[in-house]
Amino acid sequence: MSVLDGRLTALRGQAREWAADFRAAALELDRDPGLVADHLDLPGVRCLSTFGVPPAFQVDPPTVGPYRFDGTNGLERAVVLEEFAAGDIGMTLAAPGPSMSGVLVAKLGDQEQQEWFFGRMTAAPTWTCFALTEPERGSDASALSTALREEDGELRLTGAKRYVGNAARARYAAVFARTRPGPLGVTAVLLDTEAEGYHAEPLDSLGIRGAQIGAVTLNGVRVDRDRVLGRHLSPARRGIWASLQVFNELRPSVAALALGIAGAAHAYVREHYAGALGEDRDRIEVLGGRIAATRALVHRAAAAVDATGDGYLASAAKARACALAEETTLAACDLLGPAARLSHPLLDKLVRDARGVEFMEGTRNIQHLNLFQGMRSGRVGA
């Protein structure tokens, strides 16, 4: 059963319309991620540039008919991101905006920090990045080695981050670091990436090239004390706790991105193999039914996160949607016959992008472990 009301259904229809622009630019952005700067006037890109800014800081929030949207709850994000990813996940993730950093700032920032960060998001299209993952430690916040230390009366940040979306084009970065050993020693700071000692460069990638995933080196970057997020909170309410809360909130969004890729591949094979008969036709219909069922799961998971902050069901949604994206894109290639990836460049891109989503916000094994914990504790399937 759908959990979408008339307001969200209207949002979904508008996002689908905007996503057509994303599809038209998908292959050129895949070849040259720098071209995103030429698409800042697209309605969908403008929407993403402030999507996630809380109402108190919104200047001109996106509207659809009589409805206003700000992208600060999981269900809104899931609805929009599925449609945008069906257009092109590269453009979706390449767009400027608060993105993951916005969720962190909304959760951890005090009034001044939120005004500082979100004021910049509404003043002009601004890229941000969320730097948690490290070269040897992945996204395990408890194992961070990036250090925030006091030197000569100033806070200095030293370390390295990897696989950070938009790292090289971001003007502001939310960076996780450690102030001391132990789980309470993890904190997050906001950086102006023009600060001395910050260096970021894109990494070669096969999928989701538009996001220009990159590596960051932090060589004694000076951090203003008022840019330490959660400074007004106890250590137990920031750091690892905060990273887990952000991941819980965003997990349905990643599932929606994967679902969008699956939907795009399904629509592609239906268009280019419209005369399918017999087993092939049945196979295409079954894929369509699985996409609809997974959409219902993603929406339920997003609603659960909005209501309780609980991310167990979202782990199920993320794992299933990512598996479905890979299965659907590969099935589309199989149905379109030998050399399909060579003769259908957009389908080839969808195959590469589907594999990329698997590595966003925890792989399938991590999601299965989280889901197991939810089932064991009675939080899922009760």
Side-chain angles (χ1 to χ4, degrees):
M1 179 179 296
S2 173
V3 297
L4 301 189
D5 56 16
R7 177 176 175 275
L8 289 170
T9 301
L11 177 63
R12 184 181 181 194
Q14 181 63 82
R16 183 173 298 172
E17 183 178 322
W18 286 338
D21 296 329
F22 288 14
R23 173 65 59 84
L27 290 177
E28 67 172 6
L29 185 67
D30 192 61
R31 285 189 291 270
D32 182 359
L35 292 178
V36 66
D38 296 340
H39 300 288
L40 298 183
D41 287 335
L42 294 181
V45 172
R46 290 204 304 271
C47 168
L48 287 169
S49 69
T50 59
F51 207 59
V53 173
F57 304 104
Q58 282 280 5
V59 176
D60 186 20
T63 58
V64 179
Y67 307 117
R68 284 190 171 192
F69 301 91
D70 52 52
T72 55
N73 73 71
L75 197 49
E76 277 188 21
R77 287 193 293 266
V79 167
V80 167
L81 293 178
E82 181 195 345
E83 296 300 331
F84 281 176
D88 179 40
I89 190 173
M91 184 70 79
T92 303
L93 298 179
S99 191
M100 294 180 73
S101 297
V103 176
L104 184 69
V105 173
K107 187 166 291 298
L108 277 186
D110 60 23
Q111 182 68 22
E112 187 278 333
Q113 289 169 335
Q114 293 194 25
E115 289 177 357
W116 183 88
F117 181 80
F118 292 120
R120 282 155 175 76
M121 297 302 108
T122 56
T126 305
W127 280 275
T128 63
C129 67
F130 184 90
L132 170 64
T133 304
E134 298 191 346
E136 303 296 331
R137 294 166 176 79
S139 56
D140 181 0
S142 65
L144 287 178
S145 65
T146 297
L148 180 67
R149 296 192 180 94
E150 183 150 343
E151 300 176 8
D152 300 326
E154 294 184 330
L155 294 178
R156 297 283 179 174
L157 193 61
T158 302
K161 301 291 181 180
R162 200 168 179 85
Y163 310 123
V164 180
N166 293 319
R169 57 167 72 111
R171 175 60 193 276
Y172 301 105
V175 182
F176 282 81
R178 179 176 294 286
T179 58
R180 53 191 167 94
L184 300 185
V186 175
T187 193
V189 302
L190 287 174
L191 284 186
D192 185 328
T193 61
E194 293 188 349
E196 184 177 353
Y198 180 97
H199 174 73
E201 58 186 13
L203 298 170
D204 288 337
S205 63
L206 290 174
I208 318 181
R209 289 172 47 78
Q212 212 170 50
I213 295 166
V216 178
T217 302
L218 303 157
N219 187 15
V221 181
R222 179 180 174 277
V223 178
D224 291 339
R225 294 182 189 278
D226 55 6
R227 297 283 82 86
V228 178
L229 289 168
R231 57 183 174 167
H232 60 304
L233 301 172
S234 72
R237 302 291 291 176
R238 57 195 190 211
I240 290 179
W241 178 87
S243 69
L244 291 176
Q245 292 297 307
V246 171
F247 283 154
N248 282 348
E249 288 198 19
L250 292 177
R251 201 168 294 135
S253 300
V254 180
L257 292 170
L259 188 61
I261 294 172
H266 184 250
Y268 192 92
V269 75
R270 288 188 60 169
E271 177 185 352
H272 292 271
Y273 192 17
L277 297 172
E279 291 183 359
D280 285 355
R281 183 188 61 191
D282 294 344
R283 193 175 174 191
I284 294 170
E285 289 181 356
V286 167
L287 284 171
R290 292 179 61 196
I291 290 170
T294 303
R295 180 178 298 115
L297 175 61
V298 171
H299 290 172
R300 281 187 58 198
V305 169
D306 289 338
T308 67
D310 188 307
Y312 295 118
L313 193 58
S315 284
K318 201 268 181 180
R320 178 176 293 184
C322 286
L324 184 60
E326 290 190 41
E327 292 170 18
T328 306
T329 52
L330 293 175
C333 293
D334 188 38
L335 286 160
L336 290 174
R341 292 183 65 174
L342 289 176
S343 53
H344 297 274
L346 188 58
L347 184 57
D348 172 69
K349 179 181 180 303
L350 290 171
V351 173
R352 292 185 279 114
D353 289 345
R355 188 59 180 157
V357 179
E358 167 68 15
F359 296 98
M360 294 172 62
E361 204 280 304
T363 61
R364 214 166 303 170
N365 288 341
I366 298 299
Q367 304 305 332
H368 288 163
L369 287 171
N370 195 37
L371 180 59
F372 171 73
Q373 294 298 332
M375 296 177 69
R376 191 178 184 186
S377 66
R379 305 287 292 274
V380 177

